[in-house]
Amino acid sequence: MGKWQRYAKGATVMRIAETGNWAAVLSSGRVRVIGLDGTRTIAMRGVGDIVGEQAVIDGKPRSATVRADIAVRALVLGGREFDRVLGRHPHILRVLCTVVSERLREADRNLGSQGSDTVTRVSRLLVRQADEYEVDGEREVRVNIGSQAGLGESLGLSRESAVRALRVLREANIIRTRRGVVTILDLGALRDCAG
């Protein structure tokens, strides 16, 4: 049931606003889910994840673009095949409900912490400054931000928003902060956050 499909790195798997009557279960590789602006990564999905199920379930246009981050192999199920699988294996419906619920919680967390928009803006500023100060071969890059309030102000954010964004990056072990200095521990991951 279904057919196997391969996508090269960078290939568009699904496009926002297109009518989708199929979903894909990833058996290898990783994809980026890209938001309305066409540039910001809102989620990453990997082996065992399903993409495109929302459009199959509600019959509405796709709400995001999905692009292969690395080479991907996926089992593609058309709408009818999808319905047959659910009919034959009703327990899968419970799993699907769990997936949808988890994604809703993920979206709520992003909104609650002012999500990726704030993190993206702070990350972009830190990457720009790191590019100015980075010394070849240096593993950690230190950036002087002055104060968290000043950082927020320079980006048109409140101090609280800047603090939350820095906390997200700190908890992901991408940066370390201390008295007006941000130490970038993983510049590659920070670039990913910056989009």
Side-chain angles (χ1 to χ4, degrees), residues 3-30:
K3 66 177 182 175
W4 291 101
Q5 183 74 39
R6 292 186 182 274
Y7 300 92
K9 177 181 177 178
T12 298
V13 178
M14 298 170 182
R15 194 174 309 280
I16 193 167
E18 72 182 4
T19 303
N21 64 347
W22 58 275
V25 179
L26 305 180
S27 70
S28 68
R30 182 179 62 235

Side-chain angles (χ1 to χ4, degrees), residues 12-70:
T12 298
V13 178
M14 298 170 182
R15 194 174 309 280
I16 193 167
E18 72 182 4
T19 303
N21 64 347
W22 58 275
V25 179
L26 305 180
S27 70
S28 68
R30 182 179 62 235
V31 298
R32 288 180 181 270
V33 181
I34 301 167
L36 289 171
D37 67 359
T39 59
R40 187 171 55 92
T41 299
I42 57 175
M44 299 290 282
R45 302 287 180 238
V47 175
D49 285 330
I50 186 169
V51 292
E53 78 289 343
Q54 186 177 7
V56 175
I57 292 169
D58 66 16
K60 294 185 178 173
R62 299 205 187 277
S63 59
T65 294
V66 176
R67 199 165 287 135
D69 193 46
I70 59 176

Side-chain angles (χ1 to χ4, degrees), residues 14-131:
M14 298 170 182
R15 194 174 309 280
I16 193 167
E18 72 182 4
T19 303
N21 64 347
W22 58 275
V25 179
L26 305 180
S27 70
S28 68
R30 182 179 62 235
V31 298
R32 288 180 181 270
V33 181
I34 301 167
L36 289 171
D37 67 359
T39 59
R40 187 171 55 92
T41 299
I42 57 175
M44 299 290 282
R45 302 287 180 238
V47 175
D49 285 330
I50 186 169
V51 292
E53 78 289 343
Q54 186 177 7
V56 175
I57 292 169
D58 66 16
K60 294 185 178 173
R62 299 205 187 277
S63 59
T65 294
V66 176
R67 199 165 287 135
D69 193 46
I70 59 176
V72 170
R73 183 174 184 249
L75 179 63
V76 174
L77 295 168
R80 288 187 182 138
E81 293 167 316
F82 192 79
D83 288 342
R84 275 196 298 267
V85 167
L86 294 179
R88 289 182 185 158
H89 308 281
H91 65 280
I92 292 177
L93 191 54
R94 173 94 175 161
V95 172
L96 195 55
C97 287
T98 302
V99 168
V100 171
S101 176
E102 181 182 302
R103 291 180 184 176
L104 181 58
R105 287 180 193 276
E106 180 181 38
D108 285 345
R109 279 192 304 271
N110 287 340
L111 286 173
S113 65
Q114 292 197 359
S116 344
D117 289 337
T118 303
V119 172
T120 299
R121 289 163 71 181
V122 169
S123 297
R124 285 179 181 161
L125 176 82
L126 292 174
V127 166
R128 277 196 310 271
Q129 291 188 2
D131 286 343

